[in-house]
């Protein structure tokens, strides 16, 4: 048994315990509405055991988070934070229990790792104890080299709440899947923004939300073209209109700063969105504001509160939980200290050119003339497109030699289809000398026909892509990795197709805007199986606006906006606004817009994703199984 009283660090443990007590009290009040927890009924003699088990898991999380954020040495002076980060880079081929991974050392200091053994911890003033066991399920080492990758340690944590024996109460076991990781903060949420989140109309959000403030409304706005009196389409005017739908559905936790508010507004003007933040009254009732359908009156013993993962566009009955949390917005580029996507892309392209051999540089491409005068192309494929190219090695640089005085002139067009680049791991695309503007298109060969079809293989790629210019994903792709874009991104009616034996993680990080457009506009039924989801995490340093009025958007992953560190944008411009229609159905009305967080970002490698500058502890799959017959240390 581990008795922490009178041991070195006992004062710190007491502080942990006070924090844990408040955490457990708060979570216990909300335990029947928390997502990802399989509900069960507890007998009277199990209540204390359940509270002790909850306290043990909260203690485990708080202890790891606090120790891993300490700026000075920890583990009795055996490692500084920088040394800990270095230890995370050891390969997975080394048995993780022998890899000198200091995070694993920290986990083993608070729990037992041998099968069916538990480390019992009795804290001062606690009427009972809890015992912790951890099993290491997988480990992704940290990489800050040419292929960056955050550290992820996946654990199965089991905690047993042990009431005092004299009271004749029963033990209760709690298990959870835990990810100790340095995945950047924006990719831990279904939606994340340092600015205001606006949920207008009726979107479904399955996952947690982090924002500076949140405003919701059952109204939505959209734009359309209005014909002018001269009937010339070129003179059509953009007209903004407002409709009524809603409400929105949010299943998860909403994290807000203590000074912030969760607001609801009844009306807003029909005008183009701006960075001016909305204001309104605080939401009094989360259920009425975020649950479109009332809980059914049924004689069954149980009703599933959460939304069905197979149909996330149909809401459940689970209102969100609002949590105060004041934490700084993480930089995506902690190791490079460059502070912006634009500079990061320029630096990587310059490095790629320096490393590339002549065989790894695409022959000169002279397609600029076609963009200058489209009529000269006579509808033919413009010069400079290369149907097939088999470069050597894992690096490829595509750079146009054409120069123009206009900095916005398109120096290069690169179109990617099929799997001819499936062995490339680092792809660099730009105008001359890493500057200028490129137009990059991706999809199937049939995506670019006058009448598009699904002919040809999707663009298939594993690795990192750096683009100085704009990206247009016209057709299906199969990408596992990170795409950096110093420009704007347009995503059309496409999906990121999973290959056999591999689930893709696609992350797109852009300095400009990211738009979802023309997605499944012709589908007559919102719940048609022909509306395929897009699996991706989308991050923009600009504001993000997504309109799902005539189109249908289903995203598995997450969306985020952020500010660059050195070239910080003005306060308030990095907002997210979702405008969506909820179909008028009698029961569980489905929505045109659904976002479901994808935890596969913790399960599989994401080539090119930068390691974050802090450790996170993410917990899922909380269950209360039978206790069994544990061995206590």
């Amino acid at each position: 048994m581990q008795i922490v009283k009178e041991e070195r660090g006992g004062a710190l443990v007491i502080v942990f315990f006070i924090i844990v007590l408040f955490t457990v009290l708060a979570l216990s009040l909300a335990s029947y509405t928390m997502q990802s927890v399989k509900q069960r009924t507890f007998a009277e003699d199990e209540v204390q055991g359940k509270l002790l088990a909850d306290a043990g898991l909260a203690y485990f999380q708080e202890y790891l988070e606090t120790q891993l954020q300490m700026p000075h040495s920890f583990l009795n002076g055996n490692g500084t934070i920088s040394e800990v980060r270095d230890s995370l880079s050891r390969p997975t081929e080394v048995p993780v229990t022998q890899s000198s991974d200091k995070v694993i050392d920290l986990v083993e200091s608070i729990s037992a790792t041998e099968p069916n053994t538990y480390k019992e911890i009795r804290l001062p003033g606690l009427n009972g104890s809890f015992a912790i066991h951890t099993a290491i399920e997988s480990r992704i080492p940290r990489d800050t080299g040419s292929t960056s990758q955050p550290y992820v340690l996946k654990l199965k944590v089991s905690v047993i709440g042990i009431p005092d024996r004299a009271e004749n109460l029963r033990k209760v076991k709690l298990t959870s899947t835990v990810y100790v990781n340095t995945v950047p903060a924006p990719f831990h949420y279904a939606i994340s923004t340092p600015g205001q989140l606006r949920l207008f109309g009726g979107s479904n959000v399955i996952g947690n939300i982090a924002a500076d403030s949140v405003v919701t409304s059952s109204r939505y706005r959209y734009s359309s073209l209005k014909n002018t009196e001269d009937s010339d389409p070129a003179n059509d005017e953009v007209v903004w209109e407002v409709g009524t739908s809603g409400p929105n559905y949010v299943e998860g936790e909403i994290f807000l700063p203590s000074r912030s508010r969760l607001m609801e507004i009844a009306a807003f003007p029909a005008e183009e969105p701006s960075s001016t933040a909305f204001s309104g009254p605080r939401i009094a009732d989360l259920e009425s504001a975020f649950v479109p359908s009332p809980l059914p009156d049924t004689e069954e013993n149980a009703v599933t509160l959460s939304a069905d993962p197979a149909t996330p566009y149909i809401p459940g009955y689970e209102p969100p939980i609002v949590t105060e949390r004041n934490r700084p917005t993480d930089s995506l580029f902690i190791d490079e200290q460059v502070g912006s996507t634009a500079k990061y892309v320029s630096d990587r392209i310059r490095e790629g050119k320096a490393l590339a051999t002549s065989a790894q540089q695409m022959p000169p491409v002279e397609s600029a003339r076609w963009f200058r005068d489209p009529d000269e192309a006579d509808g033919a494929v413009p010069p400079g497109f290369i149907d097939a190219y088999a470069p050597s090695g894992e690096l490829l640089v595509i750079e146009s030699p054409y120069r123009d005085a206009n900095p916005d002139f398109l120096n290069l067009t690169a179109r990617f289809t099929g799997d001819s680049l499936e062995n490339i791991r680092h792809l660099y695309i730009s105008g001359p000398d890493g500057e200028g503007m490129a137009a990059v298109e991706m999809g199937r060969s049939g995506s670019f026909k006058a009448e598009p079809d699904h002919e040809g293989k999707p663009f298939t790629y594993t690795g990192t892509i750096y683009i100085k210019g704009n990206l247009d994903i016209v057709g299906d792709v199969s990408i596992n990795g990170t795409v950096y874009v110093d420009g704007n991104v347009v995503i059309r009616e496409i999906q990121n197709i999973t290959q056999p034996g591999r689930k893709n993680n696609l992350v797109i990080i852009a300095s400009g805007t990211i738009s979802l457009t023309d997605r499944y506009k012709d589908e007559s039924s919102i719940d048609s199986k022909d509306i395929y989801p897009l699996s991706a995490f989308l991050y923009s340093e600009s504001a993000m606006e997504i309109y799902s009025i005539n189109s249908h958007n289903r995203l598995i992953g997450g969306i985020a906006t952020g500010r660059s560190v050195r070239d910080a944008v003005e306060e308030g411009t990095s907002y997210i606004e979702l405008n969506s229609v909820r179909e008028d159905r009698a029961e569980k009305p489905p929505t045109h817009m659904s976002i479901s967080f994808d935890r596969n970002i913790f399960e599989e490698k994401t080539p090119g994703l930068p390691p974050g500058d802090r450790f996170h502890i993410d917990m899922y799959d909380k269950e209360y199984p039978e206790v069994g017959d544990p061995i206590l240390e």
Side-chain angles (χ1 to χ4, degrees):
M1 179 186 298
Q2 180 185 14
I3 306 296
V4 298
K5 189 175 181 180
E6 298 180 354
E7 291 184 3
R8 188 173 69 171
L12 182 60
V13 171
I14 293 174
V15 172
F16 286 156
F17 180 55
I18 293 173
I19 296 173
V20 165
L21 282 179
F22 283 104
T23 302
V24 170
L25 286 173
L27 292 178
S28 296
L29 293 175
S31 61
Y32 287 94
T33 57
M34 284 292 289
Q35 64 176 17
S36 304
V37 180
K38 290 189 176 180
Q39 303 297 338
R40 55 162 285 193
T41 302
F42 292 91
E44 185 176 348
D45 61 353
E46 292 181 308
V47 172
Q48 186 173 343
K50 176 188 180 298
L51 290 175
L52 289 167
D54 292 341
L57 187 60
Y59 176 88
F60 179 85
Q61 179 180 13
E62 190 68 33
Y63 183 85
L64 289 185
E65 284 185 343
T66 303
Q67 292 286 354
L68 289 170
Q69 306 312 331
M70 292 171 67
H72 52 78
S73 62
F74 70 91
L75 291 180
N76 299 322
N78 291 330
T80 64
I81 286 296
S82 61
E83 291 171 337
V84 170
R85 286 181 173 149
D86 289 342
S87 76
L88 306 184
S89 303
R90 299 180 183 274
T92 53
E93 286 73 14
V94 179
V96 289
T97 55
Q98 304 175 26
S99 65
S100 300
D101 183 327
K102 295 186 185 302
V103 176
I104 293 177
D105 293 343
L106 187 60
V107 169
E108 291 178 343
S109 73
I110 193 178
S111 64
T113 56
E114 292 297 321
N116 205 37
T117 61
Y118 288 75
K119 179 169 288 187
E120 186 175 4
I121 300 175
R122 182 181 295 273
L123 297 178
L126 193 63
N127 191 20
S129 62
F130 49 78
I132 306 176
H133 167 84
T134 58
I136 299 170
E137 297 199 343
S138 63
R139 177 180 180 271
I140 301 175
R142 179 175 180 262
D143 187 353
T144 59
S146 60
T147 302
S148 59
Q149 166 65 49
Y151 169 87
V152 181
L153 180 67
K154 181 182 179 181
L155 306 170
K156 188 69 174 183
V157 179
S158 302
V159 182
I160 298 177
I162 308 172
D164 281 344
R165 279 73 169 174
E167 299 184 22
N168 198 28
L169 300 176
R170 296 165 62 185
K171 302 173 185 176
V172 172
K173 182 178 180 180
L174 170 61
T175 63
S176 177
T177 301
V178 178
Y179 301 94
V180 184
N181 65 89
T182 61
V183 173
F187 305 118
H188 290 250
Y189 305 94
I191 302 178
S192 171
T193 177
Q196 185 173 73
L197 170 61
R198 306 164 187 172
L199 298 173
F200 293 162
S203 297
N204 281 11
V205 181
I206 315 299
N208 296 336
I209 291 173
D212 183 70
S213 63
V214 176
V215 57
T216 183
S217 175
S218 20
R219 293 171 69 83
Y220 61 88
R221 57 183 167 188
Y222 61 99
S223 64
S224 60
L225 292 176
K226 182 179 180 181
N227 294 331
T228 55
E229 294 181 358
D230 60 10
S231 300
D232 184 354
N235 296 325
D236 288 352
E237 296 178 355
V238 177
V239 177
W240 285 88
E241 301 179 59
V242 172
T244 301
S245 183
N248 294 280
Y249 175 69
V250 176
E251 182 180 299
E253 288 190 78
I254 300 176
F255 295 97
L256 295 173
S258 57
R259 59 174 174 76
S260 188
R261 297 193 302 171
L262 184 63
M263 302 167 288
E264 186 172 21
I265 57 176
F268 50 82
E271 61 185 22
E272 184 177 3
S274 69
S275 60
T276 303
F278 285 87
S279 181
R282 291 181 183 271
I283 291 178
D285 182 51
L286 290 175
E287 186 169 349
S288 63
F290 288 112
V291 180
S293 304
L295 194 65
D297 185 10
T298 176
E299 296 181 357
E300 297 180 5
N301 293 330
V303 174
T304 301
L305 298 179
S306 58
D308 186 344
T311 56
Y313 46 87
I314 298 178
Y317 308 99
E318 189 171 343
I321 296 170
V322 180
T323 303
E324 288 185 1
R325 184 165 68 181
N326 295 303
R327 286 185 177 174
T329 301
D330 289 17
S331 164
L332 292 183
F333 309 106
I334 180 63
D335 292 301
E336 290 76 17
Q337 295 294 314
V338 295
S340 72
T341 301
K343 190 172 188 304
Y344 186 80
V345 169
S346 295
D347 290 347
R348 298 291 82 77
I349 290 177
R350 185 170 56 254
E351 292 173 2
K353 284 186 60 181
L355 293 172
T357 65
S358 59
Q360 293 173 322
Q361 299 201 36
M362 184 70 82
V365 178
E366 298 177 356
S367 59
R369 180 176 175 80
W370 179 66
F371 285 97
R372 173 173 290 178
D373 190 357
D375 293 335
E376 292 185 10
D378 294 326
V381 175
F385 280 105
I386 299 176
D387 294 330
Y389 187 76
S392 62
E394 297 185 345
L395 184 151
L396 177 62
V397 176
I398 302 176
E399 181 183 74
S400 171
Y402 187 88
R403 300 176 183 275
D404 192 274
N406 183 356
D408 296 326
F409 186 78
L410 287 174
N411 303 94
L412 167 71
T413 296
R415 178 177 294 173
F416 297 101
T417 63
D419 57 5
S420 61
L421 300 184
E422 63 180 352
N423 294 322
I424 297 296
R425 295 295 175 262
H426 309 281
L427 179 58
Y428 307 86
I429 309 164
S430 73
D433 299 325
E435 299 300 327
M437 292 291 291
V440 178
E441 301 169 344
M442 297 177 180
R444 301 175 185 266
S445 58
S447 307
F448 302 95
K449 293 181 178 180
E451 296 183 3
D453 57 33
H454 291 281
E455 181 181 339
K457 295 180 180 179
F459 173 56
T460 303
Y461 185 84
T462 298
T464 313
I465 302 175
Y466 304 94
I467 300 172
K468 180 70 174 180
N470 299 322
L471 171 63
D472 191 346
I473 306 181
V474 181
D476 293 337
V477 296
S478 180
I479 300 177
N480 184 48
T482 307
V483 182
Y484 293 91
V485 182
D486 183 12
N488 301 324
V489 178
V490 175
I491 301 173
R492 303 181 189 274
E493 188 176 301
I494 66 102
Q495 56 179 325
N496 187 28
I497 298 175
T498 296
Q499 297 299 311
R502 182 190 76 185
K503 184 176 181 181
N504 291 334
N505 282 342
L506 170 60
V507 175
I508 299 177
I509 298 174
S511 63
T513 60
I514 299 179
S515 303
L516 304 179
T517 184
D518 296 330
R519 292 181 55 79
Y520 302 102
K521 295 177 67 174
D522 299 329
E523 299 296 333
S524 59
S525 174
I526 177 66
D527 48 10
S528 168
K529 300 303 181 183
D530 294 331
I531 302 177
Y532 297 103
L534 169 65
S535 297
F537 283 86
L538 309 177
Y539 176 93
S540 169
E541 288 179 354
S542 299
M544 189 179 298
E545 301 163 9
I546 300 178
Y547 300 89
S548 305
I549 311 304
N550 296 319
S551 59
H552 301 80
N553 290 301
R554 296 178 189 168
L555 182 67
I556 299 176
I559 60 174
T561 60
R563 300 187 181 99
S564 59
V565 176
R566 294 184 179 180
D567 304 320
V569 299
E570 295 181 3
E571 188 77 19
T573 59
S574 187
Y575 62 87
I576 293 178
E577 179 171 316
L578 304 183
N579 288 275
S580 178
V581 170
R582 185 174 295 282
E583 295 286 330
D584 187 14
R585 307 278 184 88
E587 182 181 358
K588 288 189 174 182
T591 176
H592 282 219
M593 177 70 189
S594 66
I595 302 175
S596 304
F597 177 75
D598 186 6
R599 62 193 254 199
N600 194 62
I601 200 166
F602 305 131
E603 293 280 351
E604 306 286 347
K605 289 184 177 181
T606 309
L609 185 63
D613 55 1
R614 66 165 52 239
F615 287 89
H616 301 266
I617 315 294
D618 294 84
M619 295 186 171
Y620 295 89
D621 308 326
K622 295 180 183 178
E623 301 180 26
Y624 295 92
E626 295 298 323
V627 175
D629 189 21
I631 301 171
L632 302 180
E633 291 184 354

